[in-house]
Amino acid sequence: MRNSKITWSIVAGVALALIAGVGVAIAVSRRSSGPAAPAVSSSAVPLASITPSAPPAPSPGADIKGPLDLVLVGVDTRVSIPDWEPHADTIMLMHVEADLRSAYLYSLPRDLRVDIPAYRKSGFRGGKHKITEAMSRGSRIPGSDKKSVEQGYELLTKTLSAYTGIKTFHGGAILNFRGLDKLVDQLGGIDMRIDQTVKSRHRKPDGSMRTLSGGDYIGPQATYQPGNRRLVGWQAIDYARQRYGLPNGDYDRQRHHRQMVEAILGKALSQGLSDPAKLGSVINALGDSLVYVGGRTPFEYAYALRDLTAAGITTVSLPGEGVGSGGGYLGEQLKTEGRGFIQALAKGSHRRYLAGHPKLVDK
């Protein structure tokens, strides 16, 4: 497993927390920084002589209405290699309801076999490939060794629209792996309910790296037992990156990603993101992990989603299976139940669909 294949949900969770809280913090900061208005006694001044003040300008993002569909992408970026093509290593989608107080979070397998549309900017002619490749094929700049992450994001969202039937993705974040452990530590660790025994392929119980020998790791392993646990930065990253040895492989890992999003969002919001000083420390810890945001600014989405909390997010598992040809592996496809949820979501009937398929909801 490459070092870049770690849990993007850590950053995604804080991105969600920032979306839900940063606008409020900015608004509070601006309102509290202005001069205080002098007190006026209504008994001393005739009402007719009081000139009403102009109404305050609406907060940026106050015009954003639901429902919204957002994209959170973990990019397979090797920062040590110049102009490395970005791959979408993790893809999480969030559907926010019209009330902007509740949402549904679900993942698509990185190896999902889909039709990627032609994309003139990169010279890509289109074809059937793994969805992770939409980022890389869209990022290419004809006649140059440079890569455009923004182009890759654009082709990925076009691919997502074609596959899901969701016409518009209103915003998104592309994230890489730098600073993740510092971010979780900045939050003071996260509390998470571990739902199955997970053995680390990469870390010893003390957090140091296991010895790489003959293409595999040897030595004592960090082990995460079921139950409510407090995870520090390296543990959070290590736990959520594991897929080997799990009964359902990457599908179990996807579920752990979504569970961790909820844990991080809840922890971040509980620390008072409306306090600009606290918010600043979280943003500083995020650092270069957030490499691009599409759609309206995070501050505008922050204000619009100020009432969205971890308790209002339903996480959904979409079961899938491998597909191949001639004995060779080609990728993944969603099973009927998972595909049905996406189709229902595009039609606005997802709540009824989940009521009829309760096993899709993560416990």
Side-chain angles (χ1 to χ4, degrees):
M1 170 116 25
R2 296 191 295 266
N3 288 339
S4 59
K5 283 190 177 180
I6 58 182
T7 173
W8 312 115
S9 62
I10 295 178
V11 178
V14 174
L16 289 172
L18 295 179
I19 286 174
V22 68
V24 178
I26 297 300
V28 170
S29 176
R30 288 176 177 172
R31 290 170 186 167
S32 62
S33 62
V40 177
S41 171
S42 60
S43 61
V45 182
L47 293 177
S49 66
I50 299 177
T51 302
S53 59
S59 298
D63 63 317
I64 295 178
K65 307 298 181 184
L68 300 173
D69 286 284
L70 308 174
V71 184
L72 298 171
V73 183
V75 181
D76 177 5
T77 302
R78 302 186 187 182
V79 295
S80 61
I81 303 177
D83 303 321
W84 178 262
E85 288 187 349
H87 287 66
D89 191 52
T90 294
I91 302 171
M92 286 189 286
L93 306 179
M94 174 175 279
H95 175 81
V96 183
E97 297 284 55
D99 61 5
L100 301 181
R101 294 172 178 265
S102 54
Y104 294 82
L105 183 68
Y106 57 104
S107 308
L108 294 179
R110 68 184 300 275
D111 289 344
L112 187 66
R113 189 84 170 162
V114 297
D115 289 312
I116 302 178
Y119 188 62
R120 181 183 55 81
K121 292 180 182 179
S122 67
F124 176 60
R125 297 182 179 180
K128 202 171 190 67
H129 302 277
K130 296 176 181 178
I131 197 169
T132 181
E133 299 179 40
M135 281 286 297
S136 59
R137 294 178 183 275
S139 72
R140 299 168 185 170
I141 300 176
S144 173
D145 292 333
K146 300 293 183 181
K147 302 296 181 292
S148 170
V149 176
E150 291 83 358
Q151 281 187 193
Y153 173 79
E154 185 176 19
L155 180 55
L156 176 62
T157 54
K158 289 179 180 294
T159 304
L160 288 171
S161 290
Y163 180 78
T164 65
I166 299 172
K167 296 180 180 179
T168 302
F169 288 96
H170 302 87
I174 297 178
L175 313 147
N176 65 32
F177 68 89
R178 289 173 290 183
L180 302 186
D181 54 346
K182 294 180 181 178
L183 180 58
V184 174
D185 287 336
Q186 181 65 45
L187 291 172
I190 59 172
D191 298 309
M192 189 170 175
R193 186 182 68 83
I194 295 177
D195 60 9
Q196 62 187 142
T197 299
V198 176
K199 292 185 176 181
S200 174
R201 185 177 180 228
H202 313 91
R203 297 274 188 173
K204 297 179 182 178
D206 64 0
S208 60
M209 296 299 298
R210 299 178 71 207
T211 301
L212 183 61
S213 176
D216 202 357
Y217 296 89
I218 60 174
Q221 295 173 269
T223 302
Y224 306 92
Q225 298 290 354
N228 296 320
R229 311 293 180 191
R230 168 66 59 87
L231 304 181
V232 298
W234 74 264
Q235 291 173 319
I237 294 171
D238 185 53
Y239 169 75
R241 73 181 293 193
Q242 305 305 320
R243 62 171 175 166
Y244 294 107
L246 299 181
N248 299 301
D250 192 52
Y251 292 95
D252 284 339
R253 183 175 71 160
Q254 292 173 32
R255 185 179 68 258
H256 296 161
H257 286 177
R258 294 187 298 274
Q259 291 170 346
M260 193 167 291
V261 165
E262 288 188 292
I264 293 174
L265 177 58
K267 185 63 177 290
L269 292 178
S270 72
Q271 293 189 356
L273 289 185
S274 60
D275 181 339
K278 292 180 180 179
L279 177 65
S281 65
V282 174
I283 293 175
N284 289 336
L286 187 62
D288 292 334
S289 294
L290 179 61
V291 297
Y292 176 74
V293 174
R296 300 277 288 270
T297 70
F299 302 101
E300 292 173 292
Y301 283 124
Y303 184 82
L305 302 183
R306 63 194 180 278
D307 293 325
L308 177 63
T309 66
I313 298 176
T314 299
T315 61
V316 181
S317 289
L318 304 182
E321 58 189 356
V323 294
S325 177
Y329 176 73
L330 294 177
E332 297 290 314
Q333 65 180 3
L334 293 184
K335 293 183 179 179
T336 302
E337 305 96 308
R339 193 80 173 102
F341 169 76
I342 291 180
Q343 293 169 343
L345 188 65
K347 297 175 182 178
S349 58
H350 48 287
R351 291 182 297 279
R352 185 169 63 253
Y353 187 85
L354 287 180
H357 299 79
K359 290 184 179 180
L360 296 183
V361 177
D362 294 334
K363 304 300 183 185

